[in-house]
Amino acid sequence: GFDASGWQPAEVIGGHPTPVFKKLQGQEAGLTYTTVRPEKVTRLESGALVADFGKVIPAVPVVRFRDGEEGRHVPMEAGFVLNDDGSVSRSSRDNQNTDLSYGYTQHDGDQTFRPFTYEGFRYFEIPAGVGVEPGGISAIVQHTDVDLSRTAKLRTSDTGVDAAYDLMRRSALYGSQTQFLDTPTREKGQFLGDAVDVSTATMAAYGERRLTRQAIGEFIASQVRYWPDGRLNSVYPNGDGARDIPDYTQMFPRWVWDYYEQSGDAATLAEAYPVISNVAGYVRRHIATDTGLVTNLTGGSGQYLHGIIDWPAGMRYGHDMDTAARTVINVLGVDVFNASALTAEALGKQDEAAAFRREAQALTSAINAKLRRPSDGVYIDGLKADGSQSTHASQIANAYALSYGVAPSQDRDRVLDYVASLGMRMGPFTVHRLMQALGERPDDFVTRLTDKEGHGWGNILARGGTFTWESWNAPEMGESHSHPWGATSLLNLHQTLLGVTVTSPAGATVRVRPPASGVDRASGTIP
């Protein structure tokens, strides 16, 4: 009955791209929806119902009211944590400062409440006396559309390893929607660093390709739109305008190469190459002539100025941020040149590949000459503005040197000894680089993976976590209980405990080298 006579008719302007819409990115990935029921529904003394879905899920809650009353308002609450009386916590500290409340105004009779958008939650509370029974509560879980019949599997002789693997695999899937998420709790933007982490896990665990290809295209567009100097947006597409984090930009070339190794998609590799070359130029322009090191890499602000290094700030474990030539940024610079060389070579650009390799080697030499302690070869956090060495030697600086192949072969054992001696002193955002380094020592690898007392996945599980967290102590810090970037080490389990590594594009060749220790037995399937 609506009068649309005043509306203008739609105007057909042709297929994309057109002169009007030249920079649209098509939505390549779809969504899978699954209706789930609570594992348990508890009736509180107040008469309220609390549904427990057993784990944190990205979902739309659905409630059937069989006996609605015209004009009656029903407040409902989702959350991650229960209060002592069994009700859902409304504390902003428990919900990442997010309002997870819902409201519905009934009409008379039988009706169903289904809100428009999804959130991350485990528990859902409905007040008493509103015409709902336990059987009327459900949720529609959603995640990116992958072929679940190709899901990776891993089972070992260590139940702690298996539980950590399952936690990562589920978290990676639930953090992938129509784009890669920061968290389904509230911040659903596609951050570049998060996207690299989650994409790495979904490609390994589910053979996912489309969402990664789409995300790469979107970040390519961010450089074209905002960054003639070679940077990329730290989150895109969104409404922030030009916003960057330097080390997120540095992660892009390797991500594209990893995608190419998994997929064999040479067209996307060729599309990304000019952007990758621009990233290499951005790094190159910040190499100081006197030290040969990347110094004060332009970009970021506040806690991200010249690089985020690790996150949250409390998870930097004393990393010396008062450095001009940071070891982590320099190691990532080496990786930018190495990944650029691989890309150039794959595209038949041999001269450019050789030039990138020379730059990688020169920067590696400068790191090893200036960013290590003379006494034992351990990597310090960087050089101060006056050229003096930082006195702090973080785990992340040393794990990166190992993971990215910067540490000389004759010194790797000493650096590994130092890294292993520190336990867990890296956050979930970067920990996969620690685990990659520890892959050379499977016993230490399993210890870090399963430790229930110290920071790590074992502790998350021991404390009832069902989704990887934003930080290892997220409940105390008021951070996200649903942060998929802790899932990236799933790939490390494939490479270390199954011993399987893809060694050429599209998985045309793989290396299978099971470990001699770590677990007594392991079996698995990798897409």
Side-chain angles (χ1 to χ4, degrees):
F2 180 78
D3 179 9
S5 59
W7 287 21
Q8 296 178 0
E11 179 184 356
V12 178
I13 60 173
H16 169 68
T18 73
V20 181
F21 298 113
K22 294 182 291 187
K23 297 181 179 179
L24 295 179
Q25 293 287 326
Q27 181 69 43
E28 297 191 41
L31 290 172
T32 292
Y33 300 94
T34 306
T35 298
V36 298
R37 299 286 176 180
E39 291 191 1
K40 180 174 66 173
V41 178
T42 302
R43 190 177 296 277
L44 305 181
E45 288 187 11
S46 65
L49 295 177
V50 175
D52 178 2
F53 288 90
K55 61 183 69 70
V56 175
I57 52 176
V60 171
V62 179
V63 181
R64 183 176 181 182
F65 299 100
R66 292 186 177 274
D67 186 20
E69 179 181 300
E70 180 70 29
R72 180 167 61 193
H73 182 72
V74 183
M76 292 165 279
E77 195 75 30
F80 298 93
V81 177
L82 296 180
N83 296 314
D84 291 341
D85 65 358
S87 62
V88 174
S89 173
R90 276 77 162 165
S91 168
S92 61
R93 191 169 187 81
D94 291 336
N95 293 334
Q96 198 193 0
N97 293 310
T98 307
D99 183 353
L100 292 178
S101 63
Y102 291 84
Y104 178 65
T105 301
Q106 297 178 338
H107 55 80
D108 288 333
D110 196 343
Q111 61 213 276
T112 299
F113 164 70
R114 177 177 172 174
F116 176 73
T117 193
Y118 70 96
E119 303 279 6
F121 64 92
R122 174 174 174 172
Y123 302 103
F124 195 77
E125 181 177 338
I126 305 163
V130 294
V132 63
E133 294 299 324
I137 306 170
S138 62
I140 301 173
V141 176
Q142 63 179 67
H143 55 72
T144 196
D145 190 8
V146 294
D147 182 357
L148 293 175
S149 70
R150 299 185 69 225
T151 301
K153 299 176 179 64
L154 173 68
R155 282 297 174 265
T156 72
S157 54
D158 190 317
T159 57
V161 168
D162 297 350
Y165 182 82
D166 291 347
L167 175 72
M168 293 184 214
R169 186 179 59 187
R170 182 173 62 249
S171 301
L173 184 64
Y174 285 175
S176 305
Q177 300 290 330
T178 52
Q179 58 184 10
F180 294 112
L181 302 186
D182 177 273
T183 168
T185 310
R186 63 163 189 180
E187 202 163 9
K188 300 173 185 176
Q190 180 172 258
F191 283 78
L192 178 51
D194 300 61
V196 172
D197 278 6
V198 185
S199 162
T200 298
T202 57
M203 286 193 291
Y206 299 97
E208 178 276 309
R209 303 288 183 266
R210 289 184 298 168
L211 191 59
T212 294
R213 179 175 62 193
Q214 174 186 306
I216 288 170
E218 287 164 343
F219 283 108
I220 286 172
S222 79
Q223 187 184 86
V224 172
R225 184 175 185 183
Y226 290 122
W227 301 109
D229 68 352
R231 285 178 273 174
L232 293 98
N233 251 37
S234 60
V235 54
Y236 199 81
N238 75 333
D240 285 1
R243 173 187 175 190
D244 81 301
I245 297 175
D247 24 4
Y248 280 18
T249 292
Q250 291 180 292
M251 295 172 186
F252 182 78
R254 177 62 59 177
W255 179 34
V256 176
W257 179 257
D258 288 345
Y259 164 72
Y260 174 62
E261 276 209 319
Q262 293 289 330
S263 68
D265 180 1
T268 297
L269 192 72
E271 180 187 1
Y273 181 67
V275 173
I276 290 170
S277 297
N278 290 340
V279 173
Y282 162 62
V283 173
R284 182 184 303 120
R285 288 190 297 275
H286 288 83
I287 295 177
T289 55
D290 57 339
T291 63
L293 295 170
V294 179
T295 303
N296 287 329
L297 187 60
T298 300
S301 61
Q303 297 184 80
Y304 309 148
L305 183 64
H306 304 312
I308 191 172
I309 305 300
D310 208 347
W311 183 256
M315 293 291 100
R316 290 181 178 138
Y317 297 99
H319 185 280
D320 187 353
M321 300 296 285
D322 185 27
T323 47
R326 294 175 177 172
T327 303
V328 166
I329 296 297
N330 275 272
V331 172
L332 285 171
V334 171
D335 190 58
V336 166
F337 293 134
N338 280 330
S340 299
L342 288 167
T343 303
E345 188 172 57
L347 297 173
K349 302 177 185 294
Q350 304 302 334
D351 290 345
E352 294 176 37
F356 285 131
R357 285 201 173 89
R358 287 192 295 271
E359 290 179 299
Q361 185 53 56
L363 185 52
T364 297
S365 297
I367 292 169
N368 285 324
K370 298 179 174 67
L371 297 180
R372 295 196 293 172
R373 294 192 307 216
S375 58
D376 57 6
V378 165
Y379 292 82
I380 46 90
D381 289 352
L383 296 185
K384 304 287 189 177
D386 63 4
S388 62
Q389 283 195 333
S390 169
T391 58
H392 191 261
S394 62
Q395 187 178 59
I396 190 171
N398 287 274
Y400 269 45
L402 292 165
S403 177
Y404 287 104
V406 169
S409 57
Q410 66 271 20
D411 298 329
R412 288 186 69 86
D413 278 344
R414 280 186 297 168
V415 178
L416 261 171
D417 286 342
Y418 181 75
V419 166
S421 74
L422 296 176
M424 178 71 83
R425 298 185 67 80
M426 292 169 64
F429 165 46
T430 59
V431 70
H432 56 287
R433 293 299 171 186
L434 169 64
M435 300 305 284
Q436 184 177 10
L438 292 178
E440 298 180 34
R441 298 184 177 181
D443 291 336
D444 289 333
F445 181 97
V446 171
T447 296
R448 286 280 62 75
L449 188 69
T450 59
D451 182 11
K452 295 181 180 180
E453 302 298 326
H455 289 164
W457 302 272
N459 184 253
I460 290 177
L461 290 163
R463 298 174 67 187
T466 59
F467 199 122
T468 52
W469 293 345
E470 183 175 4
S471 70
W472 301 126
N473 50 358
E476 290 76 27
M477 297 178 71
E479 290 157 353
S480 169
H481 294 226
S482 54
H483 227 76
W485 66 10
T488 317
S489 288
L490 177 146
L491 177 62
N492 304 132
L493 273 80
H494 289 179
Q495 294 174 337
T496 300
L497 298 185
L498 286 180
V500 179
T501 304
V502 172
T503 55
S504 63
T509 60
V510 297
R511 181 179 67 245
V512 183
R513 186 180 295 164
S517 62
V519 292
D520 295 330
R521 65 181 184 276
S523 62
T525 303
I526 295 175

